[in-house]
Amino acid sequence: MTQLAHATESRFPPMEKVFHTTKADTTGRHPMKKFRGSTTIRCLVLGLLVLAVTSCSQKQPPSLAEQIAKAYGLDSYGQIDAVRYTFNLQFPGVTVARTWTFEPKTGQVTYEAKDKDGKPVKATYLRSQLSSQSDTIKNDIDPGFINDNYWFMLPFHVYWDTSANVQDKGVQQLPQGNGSARLVSVKYPSDVGYTPGDTWDLYLGQDNRIQQMVYHRGGPKKPSLVIASWEGYKKGGPLIVSTEHRGTADGGLLHLFFSDVAVKLAGSDTWVNAQ
């Protein structure tokens, strides 16, 4: 029940710049041609500069994925040095509580939980050095981190994970209760992540925040279908988080929620609790 997400690399599109250079005729054999050529070159360069200024002033509207991420604080995400939260899951026969501290600028992860005997377990590692970590971290703890972080920051992953196919399906009826909302379908390719081929159907309000979600697993593992609400919105610094998810997983009642959510902003050692 715990693995519902992808371990995909987050990519940030590079700034693209195009430079044009032209070499003038320096033979001196045809002064008039040279003058006309250099005039043409100056006009060309001036035209390119005008086009560059125009293209900068006429920015393309944000993509659908970016619009969703912006609704959760994308523009100020760089202010965050660390996030802390406890992932809680209640499902028939399953009770999970895992606390994570994640430093996005360094990729450091700290995990705290209890083992099957109730003894506390703690581990800290860098995701960039995952290959050198123990089998427990590689095969158990880090997949758990990816899963829990997807639930915690799904709107950002939709934007960061450029391999995902994001489609606007228009206004559709909500999967739970009455009403309708804009359906945005996010499908991952069959060769990416811990659980490839997954699809996340997001039902958005007018503020581009998720109201409800339907998760379709791409592989044979269970659960195959998760339907959950997105409620209990709180704000920690610039970060907006849905802390309450209620619904079903393969028909069984599901309650997934986050507690003790806090952020640490750049230049500060103080944790700011989400409210």
Side-chain angles (χ1 to χ4, degrees), residues 68 87 95 201:
I68 298 172
F87 172 91
T95 300
D201 287 335

Side-chain angles (χ1 to χ4, degrees), residues 116-172:
K116 60 182 180 179
D117 298 322
K119 296 180 180 179
V121 178
K122 185 174 182 177
T124 298
Y125 63 99
L126 291 173
R127 298 208 68 244
S128 60
Q129 300 175 7
L130 191 60
S131 61
S132 64
Q133 301 298 324
S134 67
D135 288 343
T136 298
I137 289 178
K138 286 188 290 187
N139 301 326
D140 186 19
I141 293 178
D142 192 64
F145 167 73
I146 293 298
N147 176 82
D148 300 358
N149 189 261
Y150 253 75
W151 278 95
F152 187 71
M153 303 184 71
L154 177 61
F156 293 94
H157 287 289
V158 170
Y159 173 61
W160 290 332
D161 298 340
T162 55
S163 63
N165 182 12
V166 181
Q167 293 188 359
D168 188 344
K169 299 296 185 68
V171 177
Q172 304 285 342

